[in-house]
Amino acid sequence: MASDLAAKAKEAFIDDHFELAVDFYSQAILIDPHNPDLFSDRAQANIKLNNFTEAVADASKAMELDPSNPKAYLRKGTACFSLEEYQTAKTTFEAGSKLAPGDTRFTDWIKKCDKCIVEEFGELPTHSSDATPTNVAASSTTKDVEEVKNVSSEVITTPAKPKYRHEFYQKPDEIVVTIFAKGIPANSVSVSYGEQILSVTIDVPGEDPYIFQPRLFGKIVPTKCRYDVLSTKVEIRLSKAETVHWTSLEFVNSSLVVRQSNVSTATQRPAYPSSKPTKDWDQLEAQVKREEKDEKLDGDAALNKFFRDIYKDADEDTRRAMKKSFVESSGTVLSTNWKEVGSKVVEGTPPD
């Protein structure tokens, strides 16, 4: 029965019906969950659909079931490369090349990884593929198995409503992810990390497995990450590779990275780049005010300044008197005595 479904999946894949192929492979895996070829082939179909995180999970499961299967290494490496996890991809390709020395696809991919690593970090790590021990395949297999454990066909069939709620908060150097799962045995929880992938599996006997496998907003340092299974939740601490602010937990193409700043939050004037000497604008403003205060005026200008100064320092009644007398007299009378002008209309007194 599983072989019939696998044959249908291959036909769908050849006809470019990749979603149908994934569906047939998933049905076949339910019947034969220990067949590494089914996981490896489903990984390839997921790659065609750009479902790279699912492809990594499938290829890793295939590697776990059959560590000597070079096809699984090739497909995991390809998916990791597409996720921009170049170092993980390179390690996987190097392990696969040991299993298939004559397959030039591995060496081609390793060169691509090296190029991207140099572009991203400016240099390659100190070790090289030439210095890799002959038992690298086995060690890499162990590492890959640790990355994604106990991955089954349910990885792809994510339920419409997640079984457990999750949330996250962040510090400058780490992300804390909380999955609210109450009373879960510690041995039922499996967490693994990639350069930019978090993989969480909660597999309680007698229940459907819970799979949470997001591609993260930014890169992390897997060796510094850890998790704790508590009585009411699973708390996962992800160490950031860079001290940047994550606008979300999961990667989206439109995400804007807001870098942390050490600038004080105190109110300050904006500073603009300039080749001219820096000016103290506060000092200049104070100087202008002093000049205005000490300015020597003549004629009407001096008189207007005199009246402005009186109005500025006057009490409310004096101001009311000045306004009323000036308006009612059409600008010919200016009185500061409210008792005198408050109860009558001030008549104009035009000049001679």
Side-chain angles (χ1 to χ4, degrees), residues 108-270:
D108 290 342
W109 274 111
I110 290 171
K111 291 177 182 178
K112 291 181 182 179
C113 291
D114 285 340
K115 181 180 178 181
C116 292
I117 291 170
V118 169
E119 290 176 354
E120 186 172 4
F121 299 105
E123 60 180 0
L124 288 172
T126 53
H127 68 275
S128 65
S129 58
D130 296 335
T132 305
T134 54
N135 62 345
V136 68
S139 61
S140 296
T141 301
T142 303
K143 180 180 178 181
D144 292 322
V145 170
E146 290 176 351
E147 282 187 5
V148 183
K149 298 179 180 178
N150 301 324
V151 181
S152 65
S153 61
E154 284 79 8
V155 173
I156 306 305
T157 56
T158 305
K161 184 178 181 180
K163 187 176 181 179
Y164 302 114
R165 180 173 63 89
H166 74 271
E167 64 181 27
F168 84 100
Y169 68 91
Q170 63 185 298
K171 300 177 182 179
D173 58 348
E174 75 173 353
I175 296 289
V176 181
V177 181
T178 302
I179 299 176
F180 295 94
K182 188 175 181 180
I184 300 298
N187 59 3
S188 297
V189 179
S190 175
V191 181
S192 57
Y193 319 93
E195 290 176 61
Q196 202 170 345
I197 294 179
L198 170 65
S199 180
V200 183
T201 302
I202 301 177
D203 193 359
V204 179
E207 299 181 9
D208 292 335
Y210 166 81
I211 306 294
F212 180 53
Q213 192 180 52
R215 183 186 180 192
L216 300 172
F217 178 91
K219 293 196 173 185
I220 59 175
V221 183
T223 55
K224 295 183 179 180
C225 298
R226 60 186 177 87
Y227 72 96
D228 296 301
V229 181
L230 306 177
S231 59
T232 58
K233 61 186 179 181
V234 179
E235 188 174 84
I236 305 164
R237 294 183 175 272
L238 306 174
S239 176
K240 295 180 180 178
E242 295 181 280
T243 307
V244 298
H245 180 78
W246 291 17
T247 57
S248 63
L249 178 62
E250 300 188 38
F251 175 85
V252 289
N253 289 328
S254 60
S255 293
L256 296 178
V257 178
V258 182
R259 295 187 174 272
Q260 294 286 4
S261 174
N262 295 323
V263 177
S264 171
T265 55
T267 303
Q268 54 183 296
R269 292 178 178 269

Side-chain angles (χ1 to χ4, degrees), residues 313-335:
D313 299 328
D315 58 25
E316 186 60 30
D317 284 345
T318 301
R319 290 185 177 187
R320 290 165 64 192
M322 293 177 72
K323 289 180 181 178
K324 185 174 186 296
S325 61
F326 189 81
V327 171
E328 292 181 351
S329 68
S330 299
T332 59
V333 176
L334 185 64
S335 173

